[in-house]
């Protein structure tokens, strides 16, 4: 479709042409905000370049917001949680500075793992979802799952001879969030399948795990250690409620 071009259009004709062009070019934000931005530009006596910059930046900002929303939705979080809504006063063992450092997502950029360990009610799941959401907002591909749900999916995939495809799918995301690891004991087969996912991501992409205090004795690692020795250990971040640990060989 070619839009008719003419000089000295009336204001009404210009608005109609802008509306049509925005539809064709798929610029919904410019189409919606153009009247207000144009009015402000005239009032502030903006240059043409300044006015154009305002329009384009508004479109870019809204595009980034929509992409973030799609990544958050694709992550599969069970509910909305944010760092702003976390009650640090309820668990004084958690250092806000450490958490906000994690929110920078540098550890994801470096493909490092994260373990959130503590008793029930210490805010592990909230923090896992909140940090995953921060990662999605910063452009990372994130996937959230319960440990038992992931194992069940892997078992079904193995039965249907789709295991490699399923493991590869979980291996492609930048951050895999596994919640409630260690809460339920896994059988040998399920533990080994889950370990395959962790091995696939090792030193390639980040894994964030939330578990209770018995994580160090988790059935997963007790049963698979004979196959490949990978113990979850390391230094604490100074918080017995939620700790960051690295996987060391």
């Amino acid at each position: 479709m070619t839009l008719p071009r003419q000089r000295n259009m009336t204001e009404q004709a210009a608005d109609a042409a802008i509306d049509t062009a925005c539809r064709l070019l798929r610029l919904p934000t410019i189409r919606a905000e153009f009247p207000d931005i144009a009015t402000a530009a005239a009032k502030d006596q903006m240059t043409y370049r300044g006015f154009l910059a305002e329009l384009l930046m508004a479109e870019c900002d809204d595009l980034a917001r929509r992409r973030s929303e799609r990544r958050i939705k694709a992550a599969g979080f069970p509910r909305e949680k944010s760092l702003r809504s976390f009650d640090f006063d309820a668990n004084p063992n958690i250092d806000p500075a450490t958490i906000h450092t994690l929110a920078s997502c540098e550890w994801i950029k470096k493909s490092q793992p994260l373990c959130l360990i503590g008793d029930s009610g210490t805010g592990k799941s909230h923090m896992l979802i909140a940090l995953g959401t921060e990662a999605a907002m910063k452009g990372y591909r994130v996937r959230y799952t319960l440990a038992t749900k992931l194992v069940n999916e892997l078992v079904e995939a193995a039965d249907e001879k789709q295991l490699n495809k399923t493991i590869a799918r979980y291996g492609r995301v930048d951050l895999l969030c596994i919640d409630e690891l260690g809460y339920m004991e896994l059988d040998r087969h399920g533990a080994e399948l889950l370990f395959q996912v962790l091995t696939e991501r090792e030193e390639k992409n980040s894994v964030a795990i939330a578990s209770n205090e018995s994580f160090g004795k988790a059935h997963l690692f007790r049963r698979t250690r004979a196959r490949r020795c990978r113990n979850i250990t390391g230094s604490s971040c100074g918080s017995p409620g939620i700790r960051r640990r690295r996987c060391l060989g």
Side-chain angles (χ1 to χ4, degrees), residues 27-82:
L27 301 173
T29 306
I30 290 180
R31 176 173 171 263
E33 297 188 14
F34 169 79
D36 292 338
I37 295 177
T39 300
K43 181 179 179 181
D44 297 339
Q45 296 183 331
M46 282 187 186
T47 64
Y48 292 124
R49 286 185 175 86
F51 173 50
L52 179 59
E54 285 288 327
L55 284 175
L56 295 178
M57 290 304 297
E59 188 67 48
C60 289
D61 289 345
D62 199 50
L63 178 61
R65 179 188 60 78
R66 295 196 302 270
R67 286 177 174 172
S68 292
E69 290 176 350
R70 286 196 295 270
R71 285 191 296 268
I72 291 172
K73 184 177 180 180
F77 297 120
R79 52 198 173 275
E80 291 185 9
K81 294 292 182 181
S82 68

Side-chain angles (χ1 to χ4, degrees), residues 88-96:
F88 287 96
D89 293 333
N91 189 347
N93 291 319
I94 300 175
D95 179 17

